[in-house]
Amino acid sequence: MADSCFVTKLKHYLDLTAAEQKALSVLEEGEYSVAAGEVVFAEESGDADALYVVRDGLLHSSRLMKDGGRQILRIFHPGDVMGTASIAFAKPSSTAVAAVDSSICRFPKTSLMSIYTDYPRLAALFYSLGMLENVVLCDRLRSIGRSDGEARIALLLLDFRDRLKITRPGTAEAFDLPLTQADISDAIGMTPIHTNRLFMRMRTEGLIEWTKGHVRLLDEKRLADLSDYVNRYESLDKSWYPQPTTGSQQDGV
Amino acid sequence: MADSCFVTKLKHYLDLTAAEQKALSVLEEGEYSVAAGEVVFAEESGDADALYVVRDGLLHSSRLMKDGGRQILRIFHPGDVMGTASIAFAKPSSTAVAAVDSSICRFPKTSLMSIYTDYPRLAALFYSLGMLENVVLCDRLRSIGRSDGEARIALLLLDFRDRLKITRPGTAEAFDLPLTQADISDAIGMTPIHTNRLFMRMRTEGLIEWTKGHVRLLDEKRLADLSDYVNRYESLDKSWYPQPTTGSQQDGV
DNA sequence: CGAACCTTTGAAGTGACTCAATGCGTGTGG
DNA sequence: CCACACGCATTGAGTCACTTCAAAGGTTCG
């Protein structure tokens, strides 16, 4: 059987043992479909007793504002884990919605327990990935806090592309971006009207091509320069990881 | 010996066994002082081979912009762990500076290895705390992306106060805030001039009192309302944690 | 007693916002 | 097969929150 996107993604960072892969497969048992626009979990409603692995499609998490506005917090690609806030809290702190028809796997967070006891290296990998997301979030905070509209769009596009690259190594300067301009504006903290004007401008400036649902980066260097972009997804520092768990013996230092 | 702020903070979330506390004490061995304004680690310079526990004082991490601007990413209080980005990366992705004379403990990240192998419940707690920070970061992203100046300041003040509360349970509506208006403006993504006008306005509106280095929240309800604030620091969901490690036996499910 | 740092104020400019409307493709029901 | 509705992209005009540039007032400290 071919690897799932989840395993592909983890293998991108770390050589997994057979035992580790087997332990992970438990997390991808309950696969199901969500239609575009459908809500997977919602802010302050229901219990956050599970996490979700994205198998296919595209989803995002957001928080609403009192005035009806919305801030998109994260965008989830195949191989990503959604709902990690429920590791800390018993209620969802954001709302997850499918941007296109997607396929996800739900697993109860108690499944993590045996990973922590029996597969310490996987626990370490999870922590690393959590901290990676943390750094990416800081990059976005900096972008939204301190740079103008074009730079914010540039960061979003480059990040989207590089995240896609992990599980789709073929991805280059052109890719599908199945988000509306309204979605993008909610992600970069601007109004849809202004976001549209920015897209127009970036088109005439020769930075990007944009046709509904599809983007081409025409000048990656200038985009990266604009947004001071760093690709955080290349590799992780594994120097502090414990020994891997192999099937036969239960490790040892 | 009295608990350190670090242990106090972790105990706020979880009853630690004697063995667990002993394991943590290793992380607080190399204490040293940093003067106000001093840099602990800097963006893209040197190796990120260590983490830091704050014992006393106040520090923050930031990233610079090309034009000389700065975005403050996080503010560290006693009991907080700085430099968690080095869990994922070999180079610092931000710059940490002491806001006031502080005292911190440095420990190599390889110290985490034995915690992951021998104290799975501590590993789980660390992961939870990482995800908590993640959610807090999302709250700030939302604030900076979608709300106006007053709301951003309100969030910063409430968050600062509630974070302080963890290790200083006495803290109420008045507390020291040893940051300049320029620092605060770098944290909320505004210019110092405008930040000052916002402070002035919030003063006349009866929301806060502000004297250099000291703040009093005069109308917490309205501040919380303005910023749609949620205190994330009250408690963690521990339902998925593995059994604690006790000194004598090496656990078992 | 002046230098350095921070806060405060004034005035003018601008990037992004609001309100308002048009265009455009797609699906759907009459 | 056309009329209509709906969701999304585009454009225009006026306004406002926040910025930039410029300078003055307070404190603290050597």
mmCIF file of all heavy atoms in Angstrom, chain B residues 1-8 11 21 28 55:
data_model
loop_
_atom_site.group_PDB
_atom_site.id
_atom_site.type_symbol
_atom_site.label_atom_id
_atom_site.label_comp_id
_atom_site.label_asym_id
_atom_site.label_seq_id
_atom_site.Cartn_x
_atom_site.Cartn_y
_atom_site.Cartn_z
ATOM 1 N N MET B 1 13.677 23.778 49.776
ATOM 2 C CA MET B 1 13.828 24.878 48.805
ATOM 3 C C MET B 1 12.487 25.178 48.135
ATOM 4 O O MET B 1 11.754 24.281 47.752
ATOM 5 C CB MET B 1 14.856 24.466 47.754
ATOM 6 C CG MET B 1 15.248 25.593 46.827
ATOM 7 S SD MET B 1 16.490 25.045 45.635
ATOM 8 C CE MET B 1 15.489 24.768 44.184
ATOM 9 N N ALA B 2 12.199 26.449 48.014
ATOM 10 C CA ALA B 2 10.945 26.850 47.358
ATOM 11 C C ALA B 2 10.988 26.499 45.874
ATOM 12 O O ALA B 2 12.052 26.445 45.267
ATOM 13 C CB ALA B 2 10.734 28.348 47.529
ATOM 14 N N ASP B 3 9.804 26.261 45.314
ATOM 15 C CA ASP B 3 9.734 25.943 43.891
ATOM 16 C C ASP B 3 10.205 27.124 43.054
ATOM 17 O O ASP B 3 9.968 28.282 43.391
ATOM 18 C CB ASP B 3 8.278 25.647 43.496
ATOM 19 C CG ASP B 3 7.839 24.282 44.008
ATOM 20 O OD1 ASP B 3 8.714 23.455 44.332
ATOM 21 O OD2 ASP B 3 6.625 24.053 44.074
ATOM 22 N N SER B 4 10.826 26.818 41.942
ATOM 23 C CA SER B 4 11.154 27.880 40.992
ATOM 24 C C SER B 4 9.868 28.275 40.286
ATOM 25 O O SER B 4 8.846 27.594 40.357
ATOM 26 C CB SER B 4 12.155 27.361 39.976
ATOM 27 O OG SER B 4 11.508 26.451 39.108
ATOM 28 N N CYS B 5 9.924 29.413 39.570
ATOM 29 C CA CYS B 5 8.753 29.859 38.813
ATOM 30 C C CYS B 5 8.348 28.828 37.774
ATOM 31 O O CYS B 5 7.166 28.656 37.472
ATOM 32 C CB CYS B 5 9.042 31.175 38.109
ATOM 33 S SG CYS B 5 8.938 32.580 39.193
ATOM 34 N N PHE B 6 9.337 28.152 37.230
ATOM 35 C CA PHE B 6 9.068 27.145 36.205
ATOM 36 C C PHE B 6 8.219 26.017 36.781
ATOM 37 O O PHE B 6 7.162 25.675 36.242
ATOM 38 C CB PHE B 6 10.409 26.616 35.681
ATOM 39 C CG PHE B 6 10.306 25.671 34.523
ATOM 40 C CD1 PHE B 6 9.447 25.917 33.460
ATOM 41 C CD2 PHE B 6 11.110 24.533 34.480
ATOM 42 C CE1 PHE B 6 9.379 25.046 32.379
ATOM 43 C CE2 PHE B 6 11.045 23.663 33.408
ATOM 44 C CZ PHE B 6 10.178 23.917 32.350
ATOM 45 N N VAL B 7 8.677 25.485 37.917
ATOM 46 C CA VAL B 7 7.925 24.404 38.563
ATOM 47 C C VAL B 7 6.568 24.914 39.038
ATOM 48 O O VAL B 7 5.547 24.237 38.885
ATOM 49 C CB VAL B 7 8.747 23.790 39.721
ATOM 50 C CG1 VAL B 7 7.896 22.829 40.531
ATOM 51 C CG2 VAL B 7 9.978 23.073 39.169
ATOM 52 N N THR B 8 6.549 26.125 39.558
ATOM 53 C CA THR B 8 5.272 26.721 39.975
ATOM 54 C C THR B 8 4.296 26.754 38.819
ATOM 55 O O THR B 8 3.123 26.408 38.947
ATOM 56 C CB THR B 8 5.493 28.167 40.482
ATOM 57 O OG1 THR B 8 6.415 28.138 41.538
ATOM 58 C CG2 THR B 8 4.178 28.782 40.944
ATOM 59 N N LYS B 11 3.178 23.253 37.866
ATOM 60 C CA LYS B 11 2.272 22.738 38.896
ATOM 61 C C LYS B 11 0.896 23.381 38.819
ATOM 62 O O LYS B 11 -0.096 22.803 39.265
ATOM 63 C CB LYS B 11 2.862 23.000 40.287
ATOM 64 C CG LYS B 11 3.830 21.926 40.761
ATOM 65 C CD LYS B 11 4.208 22.213 42.199
ATOM 66 C CE LYS B 11 4.987 21.077 42.801
ATOM 67 N NZ LYS B 11 5.521 21.467 44.136
ATOM 68 N N GLN B 21 9.597 16.245 39.203
ATOM 69 C CA GLN B 21 10.195 17.509 39.619
ATOM 70 C C GLN B 21 11.708 17.431 39.603
ATOM 71 O O GLN B 21 12.381 18.388 39.230
ATOM 72 C CB GLN B 21 9.706 17.886 41.019
ATOM 73 C CG GLN B 21 8.253 18.323 41.012
ATOM 74 C CD GLN B 21 7.797 18.855 42.356
ATOM 75 O OE1 GLN B 21 8.432 19.733 42.942
ATOM 76 N NE2 GLN B 21 6.711 18.317 42.862
ATOM 77 N N GLU B 28 17.117 23.662 35.124
ATOM 78 C CA GLU B 28 17.297 24.980 35.724
ATOM 79 C C GLU B 28 18.642 25.095 36.437
ATOM 80 O O GLU B 28 18.756 25.782 37.445
ATOM 81 C CB GLU B 28 16.155 25.279 36.699
ATOM 82 C CG GLU B 28 14.848 25.511 35.994
ATOM 83 C CD GLU B 28 13.800 26.085 36.947
ATOM 84 O OE1 GLU B 28 13.129 25.301 37.632
ATOM 85 O OE2 GLU B 28 13.682 27.315 36.991
ATOM 86 N N ARG B 55 13.704 32.861 34.989
ATOM 87 C CA ARG B 55 13.529 32.786 36.442
ATOM 88 C C ARG B 55 12.969 34.079 36.990
ATOM 89 O O ARG B 55 12.159 34.091 37.894
ATOM 90 C CB ARG B 55 14.875 32.522 37.131
ATOM 91 C CG ARG B 55 15.393 31.133 36.848
ATOM 92 C CD ARG B 55 16.171 30.633 38.000
ATOM 93 N NE ARG B 55 15.305 29.968 38.958
ATOM 94 C CZ ARG B 55 15.733 29.034 39.798
ATOM 95 N NH1 ARG B 55 17.001 28.674 39.790
ATOM 96 N NH2 ARG B 55 14.905 28.482 40.641
#
